[in-house]
């Protein structure tokens, strides 16, 4: 029987997704489609508030596209399923936090998968690269995202040379949030996920929509849309029980109880 390429586990409001395709956790079309289904269900399930994506290996997070599958007939421009490559890159309206726990090599589409998360934690032996240049192709999503995440000249060096970065250099340029010993990576990811799961989901949703939509907007245009409640998530937040609960909890000097409504 063919092993499933994903280990999906639900811990209360936290969903853990482990990419498990020996030997390297490369993603073929079928795996990408399965990831799209998993992350779409995560997006649409009100009982889930945070997701963690990581790799099963202690060596590989994900090297990206499965070149062996491509040689066997998988088309590079084939059907990646919902959310595009890896299920996250193009998933619309994903307004919940996603943590990438990078446990090893993250290159090509694997680095692009990590960039699709909101927070990136890395093990101390993690490495990063965009080697597409060496095979005569383009790291499309990274070409769009990376120069907006780290200094332009550093991003261009990664894109134009394919040079590898270790975890310390990745952290220095702000590519990852922090570095953990390998044995502590998932513990830290779960602790952070639990903290976020206890937070205000409607506020998180508003933050994610504002950040996403405002990326290519002028500051005042974005502010006008916020103040006029022209973002769907902001409109919902301003008319929610949770906003009243936040004010009441502050006045009562107690922790708020968020209901997501």
């Amino acid at each position: 029987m063919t092993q499933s390429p994903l280990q999906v586990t639900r811990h209360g409001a936290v969903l853990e997704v482990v990419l498990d395709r020996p030997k390297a956790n490369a993603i073929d079309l079928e795996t990408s489609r399965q990831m799209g289904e998993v992350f779409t269900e995560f997006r649409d399930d009100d009982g889930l508030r945070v997701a963690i994506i990581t790799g099963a290996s202690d060596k590989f997070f994900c090297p990206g596209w499965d070149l062996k599958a491509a040689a066997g007939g998988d088309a590079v421009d084939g059907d990646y399923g919902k959310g595009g490559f890896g299920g996250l890159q193009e998933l619309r309206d994903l307004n919940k936090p996603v943590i990438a726990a990078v446990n090893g090599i993250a290159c090509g589409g694997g680095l692009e998968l990590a960039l699709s998360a909101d927070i990136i934690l890395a093990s101390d032996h993690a490495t990063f690269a965009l080697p597409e240049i060496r095979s005569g192709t383009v790291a499309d999503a990274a070409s769009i995202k990376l120069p907006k995440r780290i200094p332009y000249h550093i991003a261009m060096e990664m894109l134009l040379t394919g040079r590898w970065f270790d975890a310390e250099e990745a952290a220095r340029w702000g590519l990852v949030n922090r570095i953990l010993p390998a044995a502590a990576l998932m513990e830290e990811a779960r602790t952070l996920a639990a903290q976020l799961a206890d937070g205000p989901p409607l506020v998180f949703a508003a933050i994610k929509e504002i950040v996403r939509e405002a990326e290519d907007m002028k500051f005042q245009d974005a502010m006008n849309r916020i103040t006029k409640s022209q973002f769907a998530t902001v409109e919902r937040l301003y008319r929610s029980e949770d906003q009243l609960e936040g004010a009441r909890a502050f006045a009562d000097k107690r922790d708020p109880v968020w209901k997501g409504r």
Side-chain angles (χ1 to χ4, degrees):
M1 184 174 66
T2 303
Q3 176 182 337
S4 172
L6 301 175
Q7 300 174 21
V8 182
T9 310
R10 183 171 184 155
H11 300 285
V14 178
L15 189 72
E16 287 188 18
V17 182
V18 181
L19 185 56
D20 187 9
R21 289 195 75 228
K23 298 180 179 179
N25 297 331
I27 297 175
D28 61 358
L29 288 178
E30 176 56 30
T31 300
S32 182
R33 288 192 286 264
Q34 289 188 37
M35 294 175 77
E37 293 294 335
V38 166
F39 287 114
T40 298
E41 291 177 11
F42 163 69
R43 179 195 66 188
D44 297 340
D45 187 336
D46 290 339
L48 289 170
R49 296 189 176 182
V50 187
I52 300 171
I53 175 71
T54 190
S57 166
D58 60 358
K59 182 177 180 181
F60 291 96
F61 171 71
C62 175
W65 178 238
D66 188 338
L67 295 178
K68 290 184 178 179
D74 267 13
V76 175
D77 59 352
D79 178 13
Y80 291 107
K82 299 175 181 177
F85 181 81
L88 279 176
Q89 280 188 173
E90 302 170 63
L91 186 59
R92 295 179 63 84
D93 301 322
L94 178 54
N95 292 326
K96 300 176 181 180
V98 178
I99 301 167
V102 178
N103 54 301
I105 292 171
C107 64
L111 176 50
E112 292 175 327
L113 178 62
L115 288 172
S116 299
D118 301 295
I119 296 172
I120 304 176
L121 305 178
S123 66
D124 50 13
H125 68 278
T127 53
F128 305 84
L130 295 166
E132 283 86 347
I133 188 71
R134 298 175 184 173
S135 58
T137 188
V138 62
D140 46 12
S143 296
I144 297 168
K145 292 181 177 181
L146 197 61
K148 298 177 181 179
R149 307 289 181 83
I150 65 176
Y152 172 85
H153 299 96
I154 305 303
M156 292 304 290
E157 181 184 7
M158 291 190 76
L159 288 161
L160 294 174
T161 70
R163 182 170 77 82
W164 286 85
F165 285 11
D166 61 19
E168 288 190 6
E169 184 169 6
R172 184 163 71 248
W173 298 124
L175 184 59
V176 303
N177 292 73
R178 51 188 172 275
I179 305 169
L180 287 307
L185 178 65
M186 285 306 296
E187 179 182 358
E188 177 68 12
R190 288 167 180 150
T191 298
L192 179 57
Q195 176 186 339
L196 293 173
D198 285 338
L202 297 186
V203 177
F204 291 162
I207 289 170
K208 287 205 63 172
E209 184 181 25
I210 291 168
V211 170
R212 184 175 61 245
E213 296 298 321
E215 188 172 34
D216 297 317
M217 297 174 65
K218 293 181 179 179
F219 173 80
Q220 195 58 55
D221 291 340
M223 286 299 298
N224 290 342
R225 286 192 62 186
I226 294 169
T227 56
K228 295 177 181 177
S229 297
Q230 291 176 349
F231 290 111
T233 54
V234 175
E235 172 77 7
R236 184 183 179 195
L237 171 64
Y238 285 172
R239 285 155 178 74
S240 69
E241 293 179 27
D242 274 4
Q243 187 168 57
L244 291 174
E245 168 63 10
R248 288 167 179 162
F250 179 81
D252 296 342
K253 298 181 180 180
R254 59 175 175 80
D255 292 332
V257 179
W258 307 116
K259 297 180 179 178
R261 61 176 189 265

